[in-house]
Amino acid sequence: MTGSFITAAIAQYGAASGPRMRVLRTSGHLGSQFRRNWVSILSATLLVAGICLLATVLDVSERDSGGVHWMVEAAFILCVARSYRLLWLLNAVIRATDRDLAEPDPDGRRLAA
């Protein structure tokens, strides 16, 4: 589910073509910061999945002698934090795209969706 949500968010980012998104993508500091956030979210998602798979492999006994449950709990905390960041970024992209669509183009017409 998280993977499909990330894919939808990146598709929204890639499809947005208004002036605000153009500035966001091409501005030096802001654009690179935005891209770093996307990569951070994707990397964290892969890390959480890897930790959960590793915990599944390591959890072979009835007792948790190696602290596997702590790995899983830490992964869940990271997942929650990165999910919140993903929602924030997706909301920022949607707001910028909506503002671009609401403004008239140079001919005085509203921009089409």
Side-chain angles (χ1 to χ4, degrees), residues 15-16 18 22 24 33 37 42 44 46 51-53 55 57 60 66 70 72-78 82-83 86 92:
R22 196 172 304 116
L24 178 63
Q33 190 177 44
N37 275 302
L42 289 170
L46 293 173
I51 289 171
C52 289
L53 288 173
V57 169
V60 293
W70 292 111
V72 173
E73 289 176 10
F76 285 155
I77 291 170
L78 177 62
R82 293 289 88 189
S83 295
L86 177 62

Side-chain angles (χ1 to χ4, degrees), residues 5-110:
F5 189 62
I6 291 171
T7 302
I10 292 175
Q12 175 72 23
Y13 173 73
S17 61
R20 284 180 181 80
M21 290 306 295
R22 196 172 304 116
V23 167
L24 178 63
R25 287 185 182 133
T26 58
S27 68
H29 176 69
L30 187 59
S32 65
Q33 190 177 44
F34 205 72
R35 285 185 291 280
R36 269 196 316 262
N37 275 302
W38 284 117
V39 170
S40 171
I41 290 168
L42 289 170
S43 300
T45 302
L46 293 173
L47 180 64
V48 167
I51 289 171
C52 289
L53 288 173
L54 180 63
T56 302
V57 169
L58 293 176
D59 188 23
V60 293
S61 66
E62 291 295 320
R63 289 188 56 229
D64 184 17
S65 58
V68 174
H69 73 280
W70 292 111
M71 280 188 347
V72 173
E73 289 176 10
F76 285 155
I77 291 170
L78 177 62
C79 183
V80 167
R82 293 289 88 189
S83 295
Y84 177 77
R85 187 65 169 177
L86 177 62
L87 289 172
W88 181 85
L89 282 171
L90 181 59
N91 186 41
V93 169
I94 289 171
R95 276 186 295 158
T97 304
D98 288 347
R99 285 185 196 147
D100 287 340
L101 290 174
E103 291 178 352
D105 68 6
D107 298 330
R109 296 174 289 157
R110 296 267 181 210

